[in-house]
Amino acid sequence: MAEDREGNYDSSSHSNENNHEQLHIEPIYEAFLCPLTKQIMRDPVTLESGQTFEREAIEKWFKECRGSGRKPICPLTLKELNCTDLNPSIALRNTIEEWTQRNEAAQLDKACRSLTLGSAESDVLQALNFVTYICQKSRSSKHVVRDADLIPMISGMMKSSSRRVRCKALETLRIVAEEDNDNKEAMAAGDTIRTIVKFLSHEHSQEREEAVSLLYELSKSECVCEKIGGVNGAILILVGMSSSKSENILTVERAEKTLENLEKCEKNVRQMAENGRLQPLLTLLLEGSPETQLSMAAYLGELVLSNDVKVFVTQTAGSALVDIMRSGSKEARESALKALNQISSYETSAKILIQAGILPPLMNDLFTVGANQLPMRLKEVSATVLANIVSSSAGIESIPLGHDHQTLVSEDIVHNLLHLISNTGPAVESKLLQVLVGLTSSSTTVLNIVAAIKSSGATISLIQFVEAPQRDLRMASIKLLHRISPYMGQELADALCGTACQLSSLIKVIAENNGISEEQAAAIGLLADLPEGDSRLIRRLLDEGAFDIIISKVVRIRQGETRGSRFVTPFLEGLVRVLSRLTYILEDESDIVSLARDHNLAALFTDLLQMSGLDRVQMVSAMALENLSKQSKHQTRIPVVPEQGFCCSIFPCLSKQPVVTGLCRVHHGICSMKESFCLLEGKAVEKLVACLDHTNGKVVEAALAALCTLLDDGVDIEQGVMALCDADGIKPILEVLRENQTEILRQRAVWAVERILRTDDIAYEISGDQNVGTALVEAFRHGDYRTKQIAERALKHVDKLPNFSGIFPKMGG
């Protein structure tokens, strides 16, 4: 049997429980039943006809009679009644109550015996139905159920193997708990709550629905709320159910209402925040008592939030947190700062906080000294928030910090930051260096920072952080130095050469073999931005063994031995740029020449020309090959011709000059790429020619400059031209001249073409190309003085040479 929605006991709810006798030990007397409802009467009344009915039923009968326009009649005798007075049948009611009490006591006793896991399903269901019935009939019966120790027995039925029993047990517990806090607390004892929570994840929907309805009822008791929240995973599951698209509406609503009840406990609010339900925490942060606000702000600072949630929190509570920073106690400001640290690291959140006015109180916290200054641990948090704000927000340099209209890049402010960097602990120093890194990310603000560093004389102190043992501090320092190195190259080079420690520390960072890190890319980028012709710096790098490390790194990357990362490109670019420094001081430096030979640098740079997509690597490699090739005429080995004998000197007709074979046609000595850096070896000329078709003009400039070394004074120019012909290089050089992309390219191309036109056959072939003639004329008209002179000579070559075009079939039409 089961109760209906109105709370009446419905004997027809279960097909196998449809007899009154199943709920009663003693037999039911006919006089106990209302003729109209066939139910046991609770308030029997007698009519003037002598018939007895349930008061509620007969009143309804009379109402229907009057509604149909009839006079009241007795439902049994059908005789018209003169009087509708209802006389209470007190004796019958007392008899029924006594009978009911005896039966209920007996039924309770039977229920106690039936509510065990070993009982038959039908007996358990009958017992649960009875408990449901008496609890719905009378509120006092709920106390009887509790006093009879039935609650633990009913709870035990949740572990039954029968789904019907489990569902009925959950339903019965809910009815027993309704409007009875004592019963709710009784259910909270032991393991009952944990068992109920398990049903929330059950695959059977009815069990989930019954479980969430029971939890909703239990959550109405504030003392039970903490118990529910204390069950591992309970709040997480409820949060999931409240936002579920697959659960039925009633289940979702009950889960939501349960969570709303659980919000009465601060511990639960924290758990909800951990599981993405932030609004309760933010509500307490905004509306709670000062102690609660402080607690919620502190806890907010401990959470790990997604970017979307950071924005939501900032929109909801950002202004309140900034207000606490302005006027709160030190303890409150600490909590607010920790919360702001959590939400400030996302760009959108940072912009909202800037609009809320976070910068002035933040800078005040950092710069205040004396009695009101924050302890160092809070200055660290303030510095972290500022670093977050700066790194996430463009245009921050224009925001005034106070009435004096100073900004973060004002000289005084930067001086204050630099002073703090030199006079605080590593944690604060690291964050403030990150602030400066953020402020140097723009081409406009970096000039302000550089000017302030120079005027404060902070260069040496900043470089000292390069050898800091704390990785974060060292990395922030290296990144800052890298950012300012294009503007302070010579100062930084001089400082690094002043002592060995910082330079050695930089090289150690570059030498690390744990993949490629941002710190490594910044360290090599810093060295690459220093003046390329600083021989003192190059010597120091040599002494530190830097070039051996760099060459090894380049080779490993080129061979694919070093795993790629987002920093591999800037790292490789920096390595190649620093390595190319060696080629700028080869003159009269035998040890550097030996190093270049030992590592076959010419071959390495030639190989790097093929790194498509890395324009700077290709450009620097071509420039290095230009420098190396200029040394080929000095490094080529001229063979020693043996002296002729005495007879040959007397009789010249007997002498014959020895023939030396295998000489380089351009340098007239014994050449190789490794020993003399000759471009004719290793297909270097062909690879440089391929670069002349590059879309980046800087790469074309560098490649053309390297090729021009084959036409330079001191080499066999005619054979250099032939080498270019063999590599199909003449046409691309002429194309560079015709395209006239930049002034530098025009100058180089005119110089190269003039040298090429010294070869009569080629001059005749080119004389018919109007485009080349026009380009030379344009160079003659618009070039600088030297270019005009060279263009004039080139035009003369074109005008006077005969046609030997058949000798050069590769020239084409």
Side-chain angles (χ1 to χ4, degrees), residues 77 127 142-143 157 176 259 270 290 388 432 443 609 723 725:
T77 64
K142 297 185 178 184
H143 303 290
M157 292 302 100
V176 170
L259 288 168
R270 292 191 181 96
N388 289 342
L432 292 179
S443 58
L609 288 174
C725 281

Side-chain angles (χ1 to χ4, degrees), residues 157-171:
M157 292 302 100
M158 291 189 295
K159 298 178 181 178
S160 170
S161 59
S162 166
R163 182 180 296 165
R164 292 181 66 198
V165 170
R166 295 195 300 269
C167 286
K168 188 64 186 177
L170 289 164
E171 177 191 5

Side-chain angles (χ1 to χ4, degrees), residues 533 535 538-539 581-589 592:
S535 58
I538 295 173
R539 280 288 170 195
R581 301 289 171 85
L582 288 174
T583 68
Y584 287 86
I585 60 168
L586 290 169
E587 196 79 36
D588 300 324
E589 298 286 354
I592 295 178

Side-chain angles (χ1 to χ4, degrees), residues 204-276:
H204 192 251
S205 61
Q206 187 181 353
E207 287 173 291
R208 288 201 307 275
E209 292 166 16
E210 291 290 355
V212 75
S213 295
L214 173 54
L215 277 182
Y216 168 55
E217 186 60 43
L218 293 174
S219 68
K220 293 176 183 178
S221 169
E222 192 167 342
C223 61
V224 180
C225 285
E226 187 171 348
K227 183 84 173 181
I228 295 173
V231 176
N232 187 33
I235 288 178
L236 174 59
I237 297 170
L238 287 167
V239 168
M241 292 179 79
S242 69
S243 58
S244 174
K245 304 266 189 238
S246 58
E247 297 284 355
N248 66 50
I249 295 175
L250 181 62
T251 301
V252 171
E253 287 178 352
R254 288 284 165 82
E256 178 64 32
K257 288 180 179 179
T258 303
L259 288 168
E260 290 173 3
N261 289 338
L262 295 180
E263 290 171 15
K264 299 167 191 170
C265 174
E266 280 190 23
K267 287 184 180 179
N268 293 341
V269 170
R270 292 191 181 96
Q271 276 199 64
M272 291 178 198
E274 284 180 14
N275 294 300

Side-chain angles (χ1 to χ4, degrees), residues 327-617:
S327 56
S329 64
K330 282 188 180 179
E331 190 177 11
R333 284 156 68 194
E334 178 175 4
S335 298
L337 277 170
K338 288 180 178 177
L340 288 166
N341 179 32
Q342 189 61 250
I343 63 178
S344 62
S345 59
Y346 184 52
E347 181 179 352
T348 306
S349 303
K351 289 178 179 177
I352 297 170
L353 291 173
I354 291 170
Q355 292 171 356
I358 191 175
L359 285 178
L362 202 56
M363 301 308 292
N364 185 61
D365 283 349
L366 281 170
F367 294 156
T368 298
V369 295
N372 294 322
Q373 73 174 345
L374 288 179
M376 198 56 67
R377 60 185 174 80
L378 291 191
K379 288 205 177 213
E380 179 186 345
V381 183
S382 296
T384 305
V385 174
L386 182 60
N388 289 342
I389 295 286
V390 169
S391 66
S392 302
S393 302
I396 193 171
E397 69 279 356
S398 62
I399 298 170
L401 300 178
H403 300 300
D404 55 3
H405 302 294
Q406 285 193 320
T407 69
L408 280 173
V409 294
S410 296
E411 188 174 44
D412 287 347
I413 299 297
V414 178
H415 282 176
N416 286 337
L417 289 172
L418 291 169
H419 177 74
L420 278 176
I421 289 171
S422 299
N423 294 279
T424 51
V428 178
E429 292 164 349
S430 171
K431 296 302 178 184
L432 292 179
L433 283 170
Q434 288 177 32
V435 170
L436 293 180
V437 169
L439 292 175
T440 54
S441 60
S442 142
S443 58
T444 54
T445 57
V446 68
L447 296 176
N448 296 75
I449 305 303
V450 167
I453 291 172
K454 288 182 176 180
S455 63
S456 66
T459 306
I460 299 296
S461 61
L462 289 177
I463 286 181
Q464 287 174 350
F465 290 116
V466 168
E467 53 183 325
Q470 298 83 4
R471 184 179 180 85
D472 288 347
L473 178 57
R474 185 180 69 236
M475 179 168 151
S477 169
I478 292 173
K479 286 176 68 177
L480 176 60
L481 294 171
H482 179 211
R483 290 280 177 86
I484 65 176
S485 57
Y487 311 92
M488 297 181 62
Q490 194 58 59
E491 294 98 320
L492 295 178
D494 292 342
L496 285 170
C497 289
T499 58
C501 297
Q502 289 86 26
L503 191 59
S504 177
S505 296
L506 279 175
I507 294 168
K508 285 179 183 177
V509 170
I510 294 165
E512 290 177 359
N513 286 318
N514 300 320
I516 299 173
S517 67
E518 183 180 12
E519 183 182 17
Q520 286 180 295
I524 195 67
L526 165 59
L527 291 179
D529 282 335
L530 301 181
E532 61 188 18
D534 191 323
S535 58
R536 183 183 176 204
L537 176 62
I538 295 173
R539 280 288 170 195
R540 292 299 299 273
L541 290 171
L542 271 171
D543 294 342
E544 295 287 339
F547 291 107
D548 291 328
I549 294 169
I550 289 170
I551 292 168
S552 171
K553 292 282 185 185
V554 172
V555 171
R556 291 182 64 186
I557 292 174
R558 189 72 181 107
Q559 294 176 347
E561 294 178 18
T562 301
R563 291 187 177 183
S565 72
R566 62 195 180 103
F567 303 112
V568 67
T569 296
F571 186 60
L572 179 59
E573 286 179 355
L575 291 171
V576 175
R577 288 174 65 199
V578 175
L579 182 58
S580 71
R581 301 289 171 85
L582 288 174
T583 68
Y584 287 86
I585 60 168
L586 290 169
E587 196 79 36
D588 300 324
E589 298 286 354
S590 58
D591 56 338
I592 295 178
V593 171
S594 297
L595 179 68
R597 287 172 173 166
D598 291 343
H599 291 285
N600 200 358
L601 289 190
L604 179 58
F605 284 118
T606 301
D607 186 49
L608 291 169
L609 288 174
Q610 297 177 290
M611 298 208 69
S612 178
L614 299 180
D615 294 5
R616 200 164 194 181
V617 170

